[in-house]
Amino acid sequence: MAEGGPCFPARYIFTALVSIGLAIIYGLKVNLSVAIVVMINSTELALMALASDDHHNSHHGTNESTSISPEFACPAPDTGSNVTVPVQDGPFAWPEPTQGLVLGAYFWGYILTQIPGGRVAEMFSAKWVIWGSVLVNVVFTILTPLAANLSYIAVLVVRFIEGLGAGVSLPAIHVMLTKWALPQERNMISSLAYAGMALGTVISLPFSGILAAAFGWEAVFYVQGGLAMIWCLLWLIFVYDSPQDHPRIHPAELELFESSMQGGGGGGHGHANLPVPWKALLKSGPFWAILVAHTCNNFGWYMLLVELPTYMKHILRFNISENAGLSAVPYLSLWLFSVVWSNRLDWAKSKGWITTTTVRKLSTAVGSLLPALCFVGVSFAGCDRQAAVALMTLGTMFIAGMYCGFLSNHIDIAPNYAGTLMALTNTAATIPGFIVPVFVGEMTHGNQSLGQWQIIFFTTSAVLLVELIVYTLLASGEEQPWNRAYSAAAEGKNGTHTSPEEEKLNQTSRA
């Protein structure tokens, strides 16, 4: 910062609070993945399965005695003692398909509010949209234990409403990034902000395990929801929709924004009420590249985010406290890698060595190809716990490439419509969110074996390779002509001259 600038620039305070806000949303999303491990009565489910198999054998006139077959299960870890680790059972006998529905209900709500959230954030106030998103998640997280004791259907409703609230968060954050991320800092600011998704997982997974083990599964929801209320107050005090709206921003920082954002294609001020050039958008190759990449990458992301604790319990056979701590290690690696990777990319770009398009394609390749290879490696690692954990850690770490890849690409190609584009791609990318839990639940129902998980991991690798191919062929880091399709009229009202060539291009994009 120039001499006389602020000690704590407003844009960095904004970035920190956005990151923490996303950490809260993602932390409250994944805490159920840990809590459900001790909420479920595995012993009762096993007895139910045994009784069902005995009934089946009796019905077919066989006298075979059915037992739970260990032939595909990994042996219990050697603890160095003869003490038997107690089975961690909870009060709910929800079978795997029901568990999949409970974990997936969040995403049914999440998918519905993406586009409305993006447009409301663009046209009115992204600040209040984000605040409301976090508040809804906090309130209904606190209500989760009450819902669980009523019925799993009540939990479905609570998680559905949480998803409705969370669905508006990413489009609204994208809108604010167009105003708060300086062009020369965009990779770093975007990565630090979106790294909150990993940060929330890093904190929530072990914290949930500790709370569940020490105070019971209900404490996971009460304590985390209560602590998140602090953020709601801080956001209202320190964050504003744009630097120009901030009453306490330092004049030197405001001047930096005004000079850097000038002529930035809507990056600093934008045109809040422009209609969307739908026809040109839907014909845009770079838009479809983002949409496909976002959707495919989320399949791998949700596989790690939602199903990793289940895999570590049923296959690698870690108990809840080990499970929560080890599940968090990959996300800590992801967070650290995202900080270093974004910093180096900004440095290389400032030297003129790489273009924005190269940054996006290279980062997306890192976030797709390398995790795909790690999923294949985990499939062959089998019961080798050290190798499996190392590969899952690397795969999760490299998926951080998405932050500087397709996840920042919306702002490059159409800053005027960054919120709407994020809403569209994130709507499609939410589909894996409710497919993954149901897919895994059906694949492993009554058959938690290495063979079934190998099929799951190979499928995930194939989806990530589709992302790599499509994005490499179609993506671009340059502003698209249709971004300014309707901006000429808005600029004309403000006295800004538009050349005949630009007007002709605008009319073509609107057609």
Side-chain angles (χ1 to χ4, degrees):
M1 202 71 194
E3 185 176 348
C7 295
F8 299 101
R11 66 187 184 279
Y12 296 156
I13 296 173
F14 158 79
T15 304
L17 286 173
V18 167
S19 187
I20 295 170
L22 275 177
I24 290 170
I25 288 175
Y26 269 74
L28 298 183
K29 173 163 63 175
V30 302
N31 62 6
L32 183 61
S33 298
V34 174
I36 202 168
V37 175
V38 290
M39 291 169 66
I40 298 302
N41 192 324
S42 300
T43 302
E44 185 175 345
L45 286 178
L47 291 173
M48 290 167 60
L50 184 61
S52 176
D53 287 343
D54 284 343
H55 175 75
H56 176 80
N57 290 337
S58 174
H59 180 72
H60 287 82
T62 62
N63 295 318
E64 295 179 6
S65 176
T66 306
S67 61
I68 299 172
S69 173
E71 60 178 316
F72 295 113
C74 295
D78 183 8
T79 59
S81 69
N82 294 323
V83 177
T84 301
V85 178
V87 177
Q88 296 171 304
D89 275 337
F92 308 111
W94 298 339
E96 284 87 350
T98 299
Q99 294 176 46
L101 287 174
V102 167
L103 291 172
Y106 183 98
F107 300 98
W108 288 102
Y110 191 80
I111 198 171
L112 295 178
T113 52
Q114 296 286 325
I115 296 174
R119 288 304 284 161
V120 169
E122 286 174 345
M123 299 178 69
F124 299 104
S125 172
K127 168 188 172 176
W128 287 101
V129 170
I130 296 168
W131 182 80
S133 173
V134 175
L135 184 65
V136 167
N137 275 259
V138 168
V139 170
F140 282 90
T141 292
I142 294 172
L143 292 175
T144 300
L146 174 62
N149 284 307
L150 289 174
S151 164
Y152 82 87
I153 296 175
V155 181
L156 292 178
V157 173
V158 164
R159 295 288 290 179
F160 175 78
I161 295 173
E162 284 186 48
L164 287 175
V168 303
S169 58
L170 288 183
I173 287 170
H174 241 50
V175 171
M176 294 195 77
L177 284 174
T178 65
K179 300 172 183 177
W180 279 101
L182 294 169
Q184 61 269 31
E185 296 178 343
R186 184 166 291 162
N187 287 322
M188 182 187 71
I189 295 290
S190 297
S191 290
L192 289 175
Y194 286 121
M197 294 187 284
L199 184 63
T201 308
V202 166
I203 296 171
S204 182
L205 287 176
F207 192 32
S208 298
I210 292 168
L211 289 172
F215 304 107
W217 63 269
E218 297 95 333
V220 173
F221 304 100
Y222 292 141
V223 174
Q224 293 184 12
L227 290 175
M229 292 293 269
I230 299 171
W231 177 93
C232 295
L233 179 62
L234 295 176
W235 181 262
L236 293 179
I237 295 173
F238 292 107
V239 173
Y240 293 83
D241 277 303
S242 70
Q244 291 74 20
D245 294 330
H246 200 307
R248 297 182 301 277
I249 191 171
H250 194 282
E253 186 177 12
L254 182 59
E255 182 181 351
L256 178 62
F257 271 103
E258 291 176 343
S259 60
S260 298
M261 296 295 199
Q262 201 169 35
H269 302 279
H271 303 288
N273 296 310
L274 292 179
V276 179
W278 291 108
K279 186 175 180 181
L281 186 156
L282 293 174
K283 290 180 178 180
S284 173
F287 165 73
W288 285 104
I290 299 172
L291 187 142
V292 171
H294 201 165
T295 303
C296 293
N297 193 269
N298 265 20
F299 192 95
W301 172 247
Y302 288 131
M303 188 64 69
L304 292 166
L305 192 70
V306 178
E307 299 301 335
L308 183 57
T310 301
Y311 179 76
M312 295 184 76
K313 177 188 178 182
H314 290 291
I315 301 301
L316 301 184
R317 297 179 68 177
F318 291 106
N319 66 35
I320 180 63
S321 35
E322 289 176 311
N323 187 3
L326 284 171
S327 294
V329 170
Y331 298 98
L332 178 60
S333 303
L334 183 155
W335 184 77
L336 293 172
F337 178 75
S338 69
V339 173
V340 175
W341 180 253
S342 62
N343 178 270
R344 293 298 83 197
L345 286 176
D346 275 335
W347 173 77
K349 191 170 177 238
S350 70
K351 297 286 187 180
W353 295 344
I354 53 177
T355 65
T356 300
T357 300
T358 303
V359 169
R360 302 295 177 240
K361 290 187 176 183
L362 178 61
S363 296
T364 300
V366 168
S368 55
L369 177 60
L370 298 183
L373 294 175
C374 290
F375 273 117
V376 172
V378 171
S379 300
F380 291 113
C383 294
D384 186 337
R385 291 179 179 82
Q386 289 73 25
V389 170
L391 286 166
M392 286 189 289
T393 299
L394 288 172
T396 308
M397 180 182 78
F398 288 128
I399 216 166
M402 68 178 173
Y403 298 137
C404 292
F406 66 84
L407 204 57
S408 297
N409 203 186
H410 313 72
I411 300 173
D412 302 321
I413 67 171
N416 282 336
Y417 304 103
T420 297
L421 294 192
M422 171 58 84
L424 291 169
T425 65
N426 207 32
T427 295
T430 301
I431 295 172
F434 49 82
I435 288 178
V436 165
V438 175
F439 170 57
V440 173
E442 291 295 332
M443 289 292 295
T444 60
H445 180 43
N447 188 16
Q448 286 284 356
S449 67
L450 281 171
Q452 293 302 100
W453 279 96
Q454 283 177 336
I455 295 172
I456 291 168
F457 289 148
F458 276 121
T459 301
T460 305
S461 297
V463 171
L464 290 173
L465 290 178
V466 171
E467 170 195 353
L468 173 66
I469 294 168
V470 173
Y471 194 83
T472 301
L473 292 175
L474 298 179
S476 172
E478 303 304 317
E479 181 184 353
Q480 299 302 294
W482 47 267
N483 177 59
R484 296 176 180 268
Y486 292 101
S487 62
E491 290 171 351
K493 291 178 181 178
N494 293 325
T496 304
H497 176 69
T498 304
S499 69
E501 292 78 8
E502 289 177 316
E503 178 58 30
K504 183 178 179 180
L505 183 60
N506 293 336
Q507 290 174 354
T508 301
S509 298
R510 290 196 294 266

